Amino acid sequence: MVPTSSPDPQSVLTVLVTGFGPFGPHTLNPSGQLAAELDGQTIAGARVVGRRFETSSATVAGRLIDALDELQPSVLICLGLASGRPALSLERVAVNVRDFPMPDNDGALPVDEPIDAGGPDGRLSRLPLRAILQRWREHDIPGHISNTAGTYLCNETMYLACAESAARGTPAGFIHVPDTPQSAAAAGLAQPAPTMELATMARALALAIEVCLAPQDFAAPLAVATGAVD
Ligand code: PCA
């Protein structure tokens, strides 16, 4: 791990990494653990701030906007657990749908609802997905570009993050992470989920942050849904 070197908050860039706490059977959520582990690190000269959100539709937007207002990050990377996926998922798109497969931590269970009644149907990641994937491959870390973030809290968070990204000009996107051996065991599912060590995920995140901070064109990867209907 790279230790924090007390950077001057006025002169360094900030990267905000968010994750979630427990939900449903997932009593250990690696995404929240990663946000905690990265919090306070210095990566590629930038200060990383990690925040863990409750798996709560009622509070996630407020928590995200408060963190963005407070920290004014240069890059926003949101994380969540996708139990059952075998590798890191660079999410390409969030859809304007809340159709929860299980209640959130407040018991909310919306069906076929929009996240934003006036918003576009989809919002695309503004992270350099191909470049991150390439960097992971160079470091033997398995990942892929995913074309669905689901219709639960992670999709909602990505949709909100991408909306804020469009409004603030901050590159933002979402990465789903698999279970760790510990989180898979703790969930006690009949069919154990595929796993990746937390240390590998933390390395992957550090590499992704390095890629995001390298000079590049942060335009949307595709010409569709680039906020044109905002
Ligand atoms: N994963 C869930 C919500 C919280 C989390 O870590 C999801 O994929 O929507």
Side-chain angles (χ1 to χ4, degrees):
M1 288 309 113
V2 184
T4 311
S5 51
S6 305
D8 171 5
Q10 300 304 314
S11 63
V12 296
L13 301 178
T14 297
V15 175
L16 174 59
V17 176
T18 73
F20 283 100
F23 66 102
H26 308 290
T27 53
L28 254 188
N29 190 329
S31 69
Q33 291 178 285
L34 282 166
E37 176 150 340
L38 290 164
D39 184 52
Q41 289 191 27
T42 300
I43 296 174
R47 162 179 87 124
V48 181
V49 177
R51 292 282 159 89
R52 193 180 89 155
F53 297 158
E54 289 304 311
T55 308
S56 156
S57 186
T59 60
V60 73
R63 292 284 318 274
L64 183 65
I65 288 167
D66 286 352
L68 290 169
D69 286 346
E70 174 198 336
L71 298 163
Q72 304 287 327
S74 299
V75 177
L76 166 63
I77 301 179
C78 301
L79 306 174
L81 168 66
S83 182
R85 290 200 191 169
L88 297 159
S89 299
L90 291 158
E91 298 297 350
R92 190 198 301 273
V93 60
V95 293
N96 190 6
V97 174
R98 298 194 312 144
D99 189 39
F100 288 2
M102 70 178 94
D104 73 6
N105 289 6
D106 304 318
L109 190 60
V111 175
D112 297 344
E113 284 181 10
I115 296 166
D116 174 0
D121 290 344
R123 290 187 179 276
L124 296 179
S125 175
R126 299 301 201 283
L127 300 182
L129 304 184
R130 290 279 163 210
I132 295 171
L133 193 58
Q134 179 61 30
R135 184 69 66 90
W136 286 350
R137 284 193 179 136
E138 288 162 9
H139 289 261
D140 302 327
I141 296 173
H144 70 131
I145 293 178
S146 159
N147 293 314
T148 175
T151 54
Y152 193 41
L153 246 298
C154 289
N155 173 71
E156 180 168 355
T157 303
M158 179 174 172
Y159 190 89
L160 297 167
C162 292
E164 290 302 314
S165 170
R168 298 169 191 248
T170 307
F174 199 98
I175 300 175
H176 260 125
V177 302
D179 269 299
T180 60
Q182 295 77 12
S183 69
L189 303 177
Q191 178 73 39
T195 63
M196 182 183 280
E197 294 289 345
L198 197 73
T200 306
M201 298 187 199
R203 216 153 41 86
L205 258 295
L207 290 166
I209 290 169
E210 279 177 23
V211 171
C212 288
L213 291 172
Q216 61 197 286
D217 178 7
F218 270 108
L222 294 174
V224 295
T226 52
V229 290
D230 285 352

